[in-house]
Amino acid sequence: MKSIFIRFAFFIAISSISSFSAGREISESKNKCSVTLEGDSIMWGGFVPGPRLSEPPAAILKRLRPTYTVVDNSVISSTAAQRAKEFAKSQRTTRFIVLQHGINDAMIGSDLATYLYEMAEISKGEGRVPIITGLTRQIRKIRKRDHYNLITQQVAIASGSLFADWGNVRYGPEDMADEMHPGQAYANRLVERLVVVLDQAAPECIS
């Protein structure tokens, strides 16, 4: 864990102190009510070989907050380490960037802290506002799940990102599509929690 904070200190030292002032400029532009969703099958709203939810998270968000432009970049089975490589090569256009990765990283033991922090810092460097969701709950026991959820909280604090705290959203076995993935009711509650964070950060986008 000490090495995580050494990396954080390094990234903080080289980060621009004006990143969120650039975010204020975006809030005054036509993109002020816009969000990009980054994540795995939980954000995509489906799994293999099962079907996609009838209303996946991107659609739920659009229904709850129709003012928002929603860009869905989620990819089934992706990890923060995998996504960070492409993330660094691309340019986003939305005000908010939601980072949901973590459960697949926990399952394989990858370096979530470094890559999640890197994506948050890139987002801020573009003048955008990162939101880290934290990890959802599963019926299946994942040994490192709680530890990796704590990492997401630490990254949010260290990077100055907003935190949606999806790990504290109510769920039960009846709310799951399978042992790993949220069913429709649970997905609805997860996005509702995300909307609370968005509304606090951008009350002008409530409709």
Side-chain angles (χ1 to χ4, degrees), residues 106-123:
M107 292 175 67
I108 65 175
S110 64
D111 186 1
L112 176 63
T114 295
Y115 294 109
L116 189 61
Y117 189 88
E118 182 178 308
M119 288 190 285
E121 285 296 300
I122 289 172
S123 299

Side-chain angles (χ1 to χ4, degrees), residues 163-174:
F163 187 62
D165 199 12
W166 274 9
N168 278 324
V169 173
R170 178 176 59 85
Y171 95 109
E174 70 280 4

Side-chain angles (χ1 to χ4, degrees), residues 22 69 132 159 168:
T69 297
I132 294 173
S159 64
N168 278 324

Side-chain angles (χ1 to χ4, degrees), residues 145-161:
R145 185 262 166 211
D146 291 348
H147 173 66
Y148 272 66
N149 188 56
L150 178 60
I151 288 174
T152 67
Q153 297 175 23
Q154 293 169 335
V155 170
I157 293 170
S159 64
S161 301

Side-chain angles (χ1 to χ4, degrees), residues 84-147:
K85 297 175 183 178
E86 293 302 318
F87 196 88
K89 298 176 183 178
S90 58
Q91 178 77 28
R92 282 134 296 277
T93 60
T94 61
R95 179 180 178 184
F96 295 100
I97 309 295
V98 179
L99 303 171
Q100 175 267 318
H101 294 98
I103 197 65
N104 291 324
D105 299 83
M107 292 175 67
I108 65 175
S110 64
D111 186 1
L112 176 63
T114 295
Y115 294 109
L116 189 61
Y117 189 88
E118 182 178 308
M119 288 190 285
E121 285 296 300
I122 289 172
S123 299
K124 289 171 57 183
E126 293 177 349
R128 312 192 190 286
V129 182
I131 303 174
I132 294 173
T133 64
L135 273 60
T136 58
R137 297 286 180 173
Q138 292 77 36
I139 299 173
R140 175 181 174 183
K141 179 68 174 178
I142 298 174
R143 185 170 59 87
K144 295 184 179 181
R145 185 262 166 211
D146 291 348
H147 173 66

Side-chain angles (χ1 to χ4, degrees), residues 14-76:
I14 64 174
S15 297
S16 168
I17 61 173
S18 63
S19 59
F20 273 105
S21 66
R24 287 193 293 270
E25 294 175 6
I26 287 179
S27 71
E28 297 170 1
S29 75
K30 65 181 180 180
N31 289 327
K32 67 179 181 179
C33 301
S34 57
V35 58
T36 296
L37 306 179
E38 297 280 350
D40 52 36
S41 56
I42 291 170
M43 184 64 82
W44 190 79
F47 53 96
V48 177
R52 197 175 193 184
L53 294 174
S54 59
E55 191 178 39
I60 299 168
L61 178 53
K62 187 65 178 176
R63 170 174 57 80
L64 294 175
R65 290 294 178 268
T67 303
Y68 272 87
T69 297
V70 181
V71 178
D72 187 0
N73 285 343
S74 57
V75 177
I76 293 174

